[in-house]
Amino acid sequence: MASINKRYTYYGGETAVLSGSTITGNANGKAIRAQNKPRRKHVTFGPYILGSTLGEGEFGKVKLGWSKHSTTSSAEVPKQVAIKLIRRDTIPKNSEKEVKVYREINALKHLTHPNIVKLEEVLQNSKYIGIVLEYASGGEFYKYIQQKRRLKEGVACRLFAQLISGVQYMHSKGLVHRDLKLENLLLDKHENLIITDFGFVNEFFQHNELMKTSCGSPCYAAPELVVSTKPYEARKADVWSCGIILYAMLAGYLPWDDDPKNPDGNDIAKLYHYITRTPLKFPEYVNALPRDLLRRILVSDPKRRTTLRNIQRHEWTRPHMPFLSITPEEWDRTMVSKDVFRPPRLNSQRSTRPQSNCSTSSTSSKGDKRDSLIIDSTLVNLPAPPQESQSHVITIPSPPSPELRHSPIRGVNRHSRSNSAASIALQAVVDAEREHNLQRESFLHLQKMHHSTGNRASVPVFLNQRSNTHSNNSGNVSSLMNKDSVIVEASPAKNAKNNTSHPNIASQESSNMANLAASYENKNKTFKPKTTVDRMNHSSEKGSSSYHQLSSQHHKPRPTSYHPSSTASASTDSDAFPIVSAINGTLAHNMEPSPFDSVPSLSPDQKYSSFDHSPKMLPRRSFSVNKPSLDLQSVSGDLIRSQKDGETIAFSRINEQVEDADFRKRRQSRRFSALIGEKVFSPVTEEMEETAIVDEKPITIKVSAVTPDVNDPDGTGEKKLDIPDNKTEKKRFSFFSLYSTHNVSKSSLGSNDSKSGVNGKAASRNPSASPKTAEPRESRTTLHVVAPNDSEDSESSQISQTSAVAATFAPDVHRSTQSSRQTSSSDKSIAEKTTGGSNASKESQSIQRHASHNRSNGRTSSRVTNASNTSRSSHRQSVMVSTLNDNQQAQPRHTGDQSTARKVIDFFKRRSMRL
Ligand SMILES: Nc1ncnc2c1ncn2[C@@H]1O[C@H](COP(=O)(O)OP(=O)(O)OP(=O)(O)O)[C@@H](O)[C@H]1O
């Protein structure tokens, strides 16, 4: 009998932390605890066992958590989550911090995209609020870049496409992130990008609505947030941040990070002066196509800055067009449809769900109102544990009931997303693309043979096979998926199928994923360039084990974003930031009761009405900075039921997905009504996005020996944005007064930075290079972006027409040929434009080479060694300057019709699903 000295082990689906106990193995190889050894107790929070600290942010620690009640066999690791634990006493009532917390929760609740961190649930007791998030086991993105120094172009392109997809999705929901930066990006175990930290998220209601509150970290914040007093178009600010992130991926350091007068970038005024006056420079190893894209993104004038839509159409991101063209509605359908497998919310939970001691000041002997939990059961995917001890009470785990272990529902739900839907969905793209590519290659091969041999029968035979395949795919998606190993091998759906006795669950889930894959495949047929598969396969097969270890390490406090308003909410900080205090004072004047005030007291002697089946619609609250008081109800659900189970209060939302076909529509309405009061808005549609970019014309590329100025892309010498000389003219902007007038630079930012240390700054400011050892920058001969023309528009319409025509006639052949023709003509177009000038430069040749590489499935990235890995000590600073009035003039949005191409694609997709 082998004796293993192990500190952590799992048995019977439960976790125990053993203090050097001797674990003995039984005949089946399962670990059992020696009878005479006492179990060491572990810390729990609600239904989770808390593990190591994953990281630390502005609000406190983020802990790894395990579901206490795993339904799986002992061989499997229980579901892991990341729990952001926020001490309630660190977020004063009615403070900006409080708003930030609820903003994050509220936003995440409505976002279901594989590249956006998933909110599992929200728990709280008297001491902590626990935001339970999908666990991103791949670690922090900036560390990933730091470790690799910089990313290969293919990897960067894939991750950038994921970033753009996620940002596009949230924009389509009327939300803007406003604090996109490397530090707010994580990776899942398959190295897919996960956008996180939605504390600055805000909503916009129509495409041109402007924001007045400046947020973000200086290095990532768009210039208009800093140098202009005017309201800004928030989506364009997100675009800018995406550009900075892309630059960091490719270069290994941040742009405009080499100002000798401001080496640490701590002087925000200088930093932005530098950004707006200094041309964008690239190290020589960044190729021409990404350079071109970055030059369109990192344009100081937001009006001239490109849009997400045009980023998606750019030649460089074209290989990921199939992925990028997945609409928000499709993401919603795919992700939300997984909810179908959840147990019906209230009724079934009420009957099957044991009275949760974790929720209240209970009858438990350890009953203590302090430890009561409020579980946002709109998000609960985990059944409440039976007779569970209270949160933050040291507990001894009880053995799981066999019934729970074998529950098919729970079995499915365990991995419904965190292991992870992102991976599954993205894997579906990869696999669908791979399959399509293989088939296309076979087709081309056969076609070639056909031409060479004159055997006319071979091609039609192949086409028949393809159409059979598709009808199989449509008719019995699961079997095809199985057959072709598209998804099932790696997906939880298969696990679920294996682990559960409920046949419908697995088949429905795999069917959903198959639908998604089919959808991708349809898109692939239209847009698929040859390089995609290799790239995506390469990155997906690469594995990500190197970063697993990072995730479990305890990270020292990172330099967190600097949020004047938040910081100033603490009385001790008020003196240091008088301006912010004044702002807060103004805000405080209009304060509504704290969110926590609206949470019913959990005092044991509190009398609750008996359970009421009728949902109660509580007053809606504004989601405005000026009205920071969001109550838990508006955050956790729009319909709230209070349930008397003795001591339990559960905030719930009815499971509309299951019960009502109008779920999406109503949810949208409520979402926005919850955000903005009684006004109800439609989601932002693609058409609206389209209209939002009418002012942006595609840009022609010319080669010029003159260094392009990012602020003067058309070479007219006209600066689009100037830093006002007279700072007193600013109406609202207080960066300069904060950082310059009050000399709040490095030393004055101590409140955050003191805890942050220098650890994360290196990535924030310069992941891998110090100014002195910076990468060699490019020569001053670069692409010159000049007057726009209609080329890209016509190209896009051509694509639409192509897809429509191809869909109508011979989808496979036409899509393939049209797609490749598109790519070719586009490449040619760039090359022609590039070489058209009299001063054809080295870079123009590079563009041609690059385009040609794209065509020939061989995107290569230059292998210039990154000279430096010296991290610079400086501060991650996010700046949030609150304005006196952030009330947006909300207007209803218009819902546009889908484009013809989309309709056609959707039609074929629907048809293929029906067949
Ligand atoms: N879902 C997650 N999975 C894995 N690790 C996470 C997750 N969420 C956060 N972390 C870790 O915790 C750290 C802090 O998280 P986060 O940035 O969200 O906290 P915060 O309080 O919002 O900080 P700040 O606002 O200052 O950025 C992250 O840098 C990351 O290392």
Side-chain angles (χ1 to χ4, degrees):
M1 197 158 59
S3 188
I4 311 155
N5 222 359
K6 229 178 179 181
R7 198 169 165 75
Y8 297 89
T9 188
Y10 302 104
Y11 62 97
E14 283 286 338
T15 309
V17 183
L18 302 174
S19 182
S21 324
T22 298
I23 311 298
T24 56
N26 65 7
N28 299 325
K30 288 185 180 174
I32 53 170
R33 191 176 57 84
Q35 292 296 319
N36 55 348
K37 298 286 178 185
R39 266 184 212 162
R40 189 170 138 178
K41 297 168 179 177
H42 52 237
V43 178
T44 62
F45 187 79
Y48 300 100
I49 295 164
L50 295 185
S52 58
T53 301
L54 296 170
E56 199 160 339
E58 185 193 355
F59 290 102
K61 289 182 179 172
V62 179
K63 293 270 188 185
L64 183 61
W66 289 272
S67 168
K68 272 199 263 181
H69 295 273
S70 169
T71 60
T72 55
S73 69
S74 58
E76 286 189 56
V77 178
K79 174 174 181 166
Q80 292 180 307
V81 291
I83 307 178
K84 200 186 256 195
L85 288 169
I86 303 167
R87 278 187 71 101
R88 292 177 62 165
D89 54 13
T90 62
I91 44 171
K93 284 179 183 176
N94 304 322
S95 66
E96 285 293 327
K97 261 186 164 180
E98 187 183 62
V99 173
K100 213 178 152 194
V101 169
Y102 283 102
R103 259 185 187 152
E104 177 156 23
I105 295 170
N106 209 354
L108 284 177
K109 185 186 152 198
H110 298 298
L111 297 174
T112 52
H113 186 279
N115 299 114
I116 294 175
V117 71
K118 187 198 174 192
L119 178 65
E120 298 280 356
E121 60 183 328
V122 181
L123 306 172
Q124 72 170 340
N125 61 19
S126 63
K127 214 170 173 188
Y128 289 96
I129 297 171
I131 304 178
V132 184
L133 299 165
E134 164 189 10
Y135 173 47
S137 61
E140 297 180 57
F141 188 47
Y142 81 82
K143 287 194 175 170
Y144 179 77
I145 297 179
Q146 214 170 14
Q147 194 191 51
K148 295 184 182 297
R149 296 192 172 184
R150 60 188 159 85
L151 303 187
K152 287 179 184 164
E153 199 177 305
V155 176
C157 190
R158 180 179 68 90
L159 293 174
F160 182 68
Q162 294 181 359
L163 173 68
I164 293 299
S165 176
V167 174
Q168 169 90 328
Y169 172 85
M170 73 177 87
H171 285 187
S172 77
K173 301 289 176 192
L175 296 171
V176 282
H177 189 284
R178 305 198 297 177
D179 196 19
L180 288 168
K181 55 185 175 184
L182 290 180
E183 294 87 335
N184 288 338
L185 301 178
L186 302 170
L187 294 171
D188 75 1
K189 66 177 178 179
H190 298 297
E191 296 189 357
N192 293 313
L193 203 77
I194 306 281
I195 305 170
T196 182
D197 202 349
F198 283 72
F200 279 135
V201 80
N202 208 340
E203 76 281 4
F204 61 95
F205 304 115
Q206 54 180 356
H207 67 264
N208 58 354
E209 181 159 346
L210 303 174
M211 298 253 171
K212 294 176 185 170
T213 305
S214 299
C215 302
S217 301
C219 290
Y220 297 83
E224 66 269 21
L225 307 192
V226 182
V227 300
S228 168
T229 59
K230 294 176 189 166
Y232 62 95
E233 215 274 87
R235 286 182 296 180
K236 287 289 184 80
D238 274 354
V239 170
W240 173 279
S241 305
C242 289
I244 301 283
I245 290 166
L246 174 58
Y247 187 101
M249 287 190 218
L250 293 168
Y253 56 88
L254 296 173
W256 297 294
D257 203 26
D258 54 354
D259 182 4
K261 293 179 194 160
N262 185 26
D264 289 337
N266 290 327
D267 188 325
I268 309 298
K270 274 189 189 161
L271 176 66
Y272 275 91
H273 188 270
Y274 190 69
I275 288 175
T276 52
R277 308 263 171 177
T278 312
L280 183 62
K281 293 172 283 189
F282 297 95
E284 60 188 13
Y285 48 78
V286 175
N287 287 323
L289 272 177
R291 280 186 196 204
D292 176 57
L293 177 58
L294 280 166
R295 285 210 179 89
R296 294 170 189 241
I297 298 174
L298 296 176
V299 175
S300 294
D301 182 353
K303 288 201 179 107
R304 296 181 62 83
R305 192 176 306 148
T306 196
T307 59
L308 288 178
R309 177 61 63 94
N310 281 347
I311 291 173
Q312 292 173 4
R313 293 170 182 162
H314 191 271
E315 188 60 33
W316 191 63
T317 55
R318 191 173 290 263
H320 297 286
M321 179 62 107
F323 173 72
L324 286 168
S325 59
I326 296 169
T327 63
E329 294 74 30
E330 284 171 314
W331 282 126
D332 282 342
R333 273 201 298 275
T334 308
M335 307 297 282
V336 171
S337 63
K338 294 168 80 62
D339 288 351
V340 169
F341 311 119
R342 294 178 181 175
R345 287 280 148 73
L346 284 174
N347 294 334
S348 68
Q349 279 182 6
R350 212 168 55 243
S351 57
T352 60
R353 192 171 167 159
Q355 306 259 318
S356 170
N357 287 344
C358 78
S359 301
T360 153
S361 53
S362 67
T363 52
S364 156
S365 58
K366 292 174 185 170
D368 177 356
K369 63 184 177 184
R370 267 188 337 113
D371 297 307
S372 56
L373 282 175
I374 293 170
I375 301 178
D376 176 3
S377 53
T378 64
L379 302 158
V380 166
N381 197 16
L382 301 164
Q387 295 306 310
E388 183 173 42
S389 52
Q390 298 172 16
S391 168
H392 288 273
V393 175
I394 304 298
T395 62
I396 298 171
S398 54
S401 88
E403 180 201 333
L404 287 173
R405 245 193 277 171
H406 295 118
S407 160
I409 298 294
R410 296 179 66 180
V412 169
N413 286 336
R414 240 191 95 260
H415 287 289
S416 65
R417 157 86 189 228
S418 71
N419 271 332
S420 101
S423 303
I424 300 161
L426 294 169
Q427 188 63 37
V429 180
V430 172
D431 291 336
E433 285 190 333
R434 179 193 294 141
E435 190 210 13
H436 172 70
N437 197 47
L438 285 173
Q439 290 180 348
R440 186 165 170 266
E441 276 175 4
S442 308
F443 169 70
L444 292 174
H445 179 68
L446 285 170
Q447 202 177 31
K448 212 168 147 188
M449 283 175 56
H450 163 73
H451 285 307
S452 60
T453 61
N455 179 3
R456 290 174 182 277
S458 58
V459 173
V461 167
F462 175 75
L463 289 174
N464 284 340
Q465 284 168 351
R466 265 195 70 77
S467 70
N468 286 341
T469 303
H470 281 287
S471 69
N472 279 344
N473 197 351
S474 317
N476 186 358
V477 178
S478 302
S479 65
L480 182 70
M481 306 289 279
N482 266 319
K483 188 178 122 213
D484 292 345
S485 303
V486 172
I487 288 174
V488 180
E489 273 184 14
S491 83
K494 186 182 179 183
N495 292 337
K497 200 171 185 176
N498 293 338
N499 294 335
T500 180
S501 56
H502 198 311
N504 291 337
I505 292 166
S507 63
Q508 280 182 69
E509 182 151 6
S510 83
S511 164
N512 278 329
M513 297 312 300
N515 289 341
L516 180 66
S519 148
Y520 294 156
E521 202 171 6
N522 278 339
K523 292 163 194 294
N524 279 349
K525 285 174 215 156
T526 312
F527 299 113
K528 171 71 185 66
K530 201 175 176 184
T531 53
T532 311
V533 175
D534 297 313
R535 279 182 177 197
M536 298 184 83
N537 287 349
H538 172 71
S539 44
S540 68
E541 286 162 8
K542 209 171 55 170
S544 58
S545 56
S546 61
Y547 266 80
H548 289 203
Q549 55 197 23
L550 282 174
S551 59
S552 59
Q553 288 171 3
H554 176 94
H555 296 172
K556 288 195 174 157
R558 301 175 314 123
T560 54
S561 300
Y562 173 60
H563 314 295
S565 304
S566 312
T567 315
S569 59
S571 58
T572 48
D573 295 324
S574 301
D575 294 338
F577 303 109
I579 292 175
V580 175
S581 300
I583 292 167
N584 276 351
T586 310
L587 291 174
H589 189 66
N590 297 322
M591 290 304 174
E592 292 178 15
S594 160
F596 303 115
D597 290 343
S598 65
V599 176
S601 161
L602 295 168
S603 161
D605 51 14
Q606 171 86 41
K607 301 291 177 225
Y608 299 111
S609 60
S610 55
F611 181 76
D612 182 4
H613 285 272
S614 61
K616 291 172 185 164
M617 187 72 81
L618 298 183
R620 288 163 176 161
R621 304 290 178 92
S622 165
F623 192 54
S624 158
V625 175
N626 279 351
K627 294 179 183 174
S629 190
L630 296 169
D631 56 25
L632 191 62
Q633 148 246 335
S634 71
V635 169
S636 61
D638 311 312
L639 295 172
I640 293 179
R641 290 176 191 231
S642 52
Q643 174 180 358
K644 176 170 182 173
D645 57 14
E647 286 78 27
T648 301
I649 299 287
F651 287 135
S652 308
R653 183 187 57 166
I654 295 175
N655 188 4
E656 299 97 335
Q657 299 100 308
V658 181
E659 298 167 6
D660 193 340
D662 276 334
F663 161 70
R664 297 299 310 158
K665 194 175 164 189
R666 289 190 289 111
R667 181 174 155 179
Q668 287 285 7
S669 303
R670 281 200 304 278
R671 172 181 317 159
F672 288 102
S673 60
L675 291 177
I676 57 164
E678 296 302 325
K679 300 186 183 78
V680 177
F681 296 95
S682 310
V684 179
T685 64
E686 283 188 25
E687 292 303 315
M688 291 166 62
E689 176 79 17
E690 203 65 85
T691 58
I693 59 171
V694 287
D695 61 333
E696 184 195 4
K697 295 280 196 281
I699 300 167
T700 311
I701 303 165
K702 274 190 183 173
V703 173
S704 163
V706 180
T707 304
D709 185 342
V710 70
N711 303 306
D712 182 20
D714 55 4
T716 60
E718 181 190 349
K719 295 284 178 192
K720 301 301 175 194
L721 280 172
D722 283 328
I723 298 177
D725 292 334
N726 184 359
K727 296 180 183 100
T728 58
E729 285 177 14
K730 290 178 180 303
K731 292 173 200 157
R732 66 179 179 86
F733 172 62
S734 57
F735 278 91
F736 297 147
S737 32
L738 277 170
Y739 290 93
S740 301
T741 311
H742 297 281
N743 198 21
V744 184
S745 64
K746 194 172 184 174
S747 58
S748 306
L749 296 171
S751 60
N752 275 319
D753 293 329
S754 59
K755 73 166 181 170
S756 309
V758 297
N759 186 18
K761 171 58 195 165
S764 170
R765 295 272 312 126
N766 187 352
S768 67
S770 72
K772 290 182 185 119
T773 57
E775 303 287 345
R777 305 295 170 98
E778 66 163 355
S779 73
R780 291 178 70 79
T781 302
T782 50
L783 283 180
H784 197 155
V785 181
V786 297
N789 62 21
D790 293 325
S791 61
E792 204 163 320
D793 277 350
S794 62
E795 182 184 293
S796 67
S797 71
Q798 204 178 346
I799 289 172
S800 300
Q801 286 166 9
T802 301
S803 56
V805 170
T808 312
F809 296 103
D812 299 325
V813 180
H814 282 267
R815 280 175 183 153
S816 301
T817 52
Q818 290 283 9
S819 172
S820 59
R821 207 168 66 202
Q822 283 297 329
T823 310
S824 305
S825 66
S826 175
D827 290 348
K828 198 174 155 196
S829 162
I830 288 185
E832 275 172 2
K833 286 166 190 163
T834 311
T835 54
S838 54
N839 296 325
S841 70
K842 197 170 73 181
E843 196 157 331
S844 71
Q845 293 163 10
S846 173
I847 281 195
Q848 290 178 74
R849 268 204 308 275
H850 197 90
S852 137
H853 279 203
N854 277 346
R855 285 193 301 272
S856 62
N857 190 19
R859 193 182 291 271
T860 56
S861 58
S862 52
R863 293 175 180 265
V864 178
T865 312
N866 193 339
S868 161
N869 193 25
T870 309
S871 295
R872 184 192 306 159
S873 165
S874 58
H875 300 261
R876 253 180 79 206
Q877 301 153 353
S878 272
V879 180
M880 176 172 176
V881 179
S882 299
T883 53
L884 295 179
N885 181 8
D886 195 32
N887 282 329
Q888 309 291 330
Q889 193 63 36
Q891 292 175 20
R893 282 179 269 146
H894 310 285
T895 306
D897 291 326
Q898 284 187 314
S899 71
T900 310
R902 175 65 52 216
K903 280 178 187 163
V904 171
I905 291 170
D906 287 344
F907 167 76
F908 273 91
K909 196 172 61 191
R910 278 199 303 276
R911 197 184 67 166
S912 70
M913 286 173 182
R914 274 204 304 273
L915 286 174

